[in-house]
Amino acid sequence: MYKIAVCDDEESVSAEVKRLITEWDPTVEVVCFSSGEELLEGYQSYEAVFLDIDMKNMNGIETGRAIRKIDRDTKIVYLTAYRDYVSGAFGVHAFQYLLKPVNKKVIWNVLEEIFRYLETSEKKTILDFHTVEGVVCLPVDSIYFFEYENRKVRLVTEEEQFYMADRIGNVAKRMEQFGFSVPHQSFVLNMFHVKNVKNSHILLDNGMEVPLSQKKQKTWKQELMQYLSERLEEGKGGWKK
């Protein structure tokens, strides 16, 4: 049996989301929580967590980060009445962002995408790369960045790195459609892994840092905000990762 958690400090919102989920599939077990602290206490594994961002005490972003420390697989769906909160959700890896008030069509689209994703591993986009070690196939989400050094391109994942005899411009062009950007002339970065931005440094969710060119600071930050905004907008119709 699939389990979904709904966490919102407004009981009416939790009840409505639960009702819509149950209406979509009565066999899904839905557990409601009124705070992030309550959700995290004795946390169990859920296929998805519908999580309000603007909660008292421990807000949804803090709760999402705490969840990610113990559960990297659950699909977090943020519920928010404010677009501005999206920019604060770095590193949580939300499946979708939905604007309140949500309706049946939106919730059902999200649920269909979540369970389709769970049921088919092929949902992950996997690309092949010609490295000096040979051809390697990698899920796009596992790639953190590409760096041009010593006339080669270094491909960095969470656990490995590979080298390719290619131009960084070619890599940027290929990866643009997958949410990669160019914050510095020597780097192509996966915006999915951005945790925070401080002056001329971009902090990633694995602790690494990537430089942000002074000339590109304004335009790149705008590009990042556009990336996050598109995730929010597309969530209305069932954006997925």
Side-chain angles (χ1 to χ4, degrees), residues 8 51-54 77-86 97-102 232:
D8 197 302
L51 184 59
D52 179 33
I53 288 184
D54 187 26
V77 179
Y78 271 129
L79 307 173
T80 178
Y82 307 99
R83 297 171 185 270
D84 292 345
Y85 274 114
V86 177
Y97 301 86
L98 303 181
L99 287 174
K100 293 181 180 180
V102 295
L232 175 61

Side-chain angles (χ1 to χ4, degrees), residues 9-10 23 29 36 44 70 81 84 103 111 118 128 166 186 193 209 218 227 240:
D9 57 6
E10 294 184 59
E23 186 178 338
E29 180 182 351
Q44 300 180 18
I70 55 179
D84 292 345
N103 58 51
L111 292 168
L118 291 171
D128 61 279
D166 203 347
S186 298
H193 289 295
E209 290 188 357
K218 183 177 180 180
Y227 167 78
K240 66 178 186 304

Side-chain angles (χ1 to χ4, degrees), residues 9 22 32 52 62 65 84 89 100 110 122 131 140 143 145 163 167 174 189 194 198 210 214 219 239-240:
D9 57 6
T22 304
C32 294
D52 179 33
E62 295 169 333
R65 289 173 179 164
D84 292 345
K100 293 181 180 180
V110 171
E122 291 78 12
T131 74
V140 168
I143 303 171
F145 61 86
Y163 286 89
R167 296 181 178 180
R174 181 188 184 190
L189 171 67
V194 174
K198 292 184 178 179
V210 169
Q214 184 175 1
T219 57
W239 182 89
K240 66 178 186 304

Side-chain angles (χ1 to χ4, degrees), residues 125-147 153-157 160-168 170-178 180 188 190:
T125 301
I126 298 177
L127 299 178
D128 61 279
F129 297 90
H130 294 267
T131 74
V132 295
E133 293 89 358
V135 177
V136 296
C137 297
L138 299 170
V140 168
D141 287 352
S142 72
I143 303 171
Y144 278 77
F145 61 86
F146 300 85
E147 178 186 7
V153 174
R154 183 168 69 108
L155 186 165
V156 178
T157 70
E160 301 175 282
Q161 63 179 15
F162 306 91
Y163 286 89
M164 305 185 296
D166 203 347
R167 296 181 178 180
I168 197 71
N170 294 338
V171 174
K173 185 176 180 180
R174 181 188 184 190
M175 302 305 295
E176 182 179 8
Q177 64 179 304
F178 303 108
F180 285 69
V188 176
N190 189 348

Side-chain angles (χ1 to χ4, degrees), residues 206-224:
N206 66 346
M208 289 185 172
E209 290 188 357
V210 169
L212 174 57
S213 169
Q214 184 175 1
K215 293 181 179 180
K216 292 190 174 186
Q217 281 190 21
K218 183 177 180 180
T219 57
W220 187 83
K221 288 178 181 178
Q222 291 174 341
E223 186 178 348
L224 177 63

Side-chain angles (χ1 to χ4, degrees), residues 10-95:
E10 294 184 59
E11 185 178 348
S12 60
V13 175
S14 294
E16 177 64 8
V17 174
K18 179 178 180 178
R19 184 186 70 80
L20 292 173
I21 294 173
T22 304
E23 186 178 338
W24 179 74
D25 187 345
T27 67
V28 174
E29 180 182 351
V30 183
V31 185
C32 294
F33 301 89
S34 60
S35 69
E37 293 89 344
E38 184 184 0
L39 170 62
L40 291 168
E41 184 178 355
Y43 179 86
Q44 300 180 18
S45 178
Y46 300 96
E47 274 68 42
V49 177
F50 284 75
L51 184 59
D52 179 33
I53 288 184
D54 187 26
M55 293 189 293
K56 297 177 182 179
N57 298 322
M58 190 176 200
N59 65 36
I61 294 173
E62 295 169 333
T63 303
R65 289 173 179 164
I67 290 173
R68 279 290 173 251
K69 292 180 180 179
I70 55 179
D71 189 346
R72 299 188 63 180
D73 296 324
T74 189
K75 304 298 178 284
I76 294 177
V77 179
Y78 271 129
L79 307 173
T80 178
Y82 307 99
R83 297 171 185 270
D84 292 345
Y85 274 114
V86 177
S87 62
F90 292 112
V92 175
H93 297 177
F95 189 81

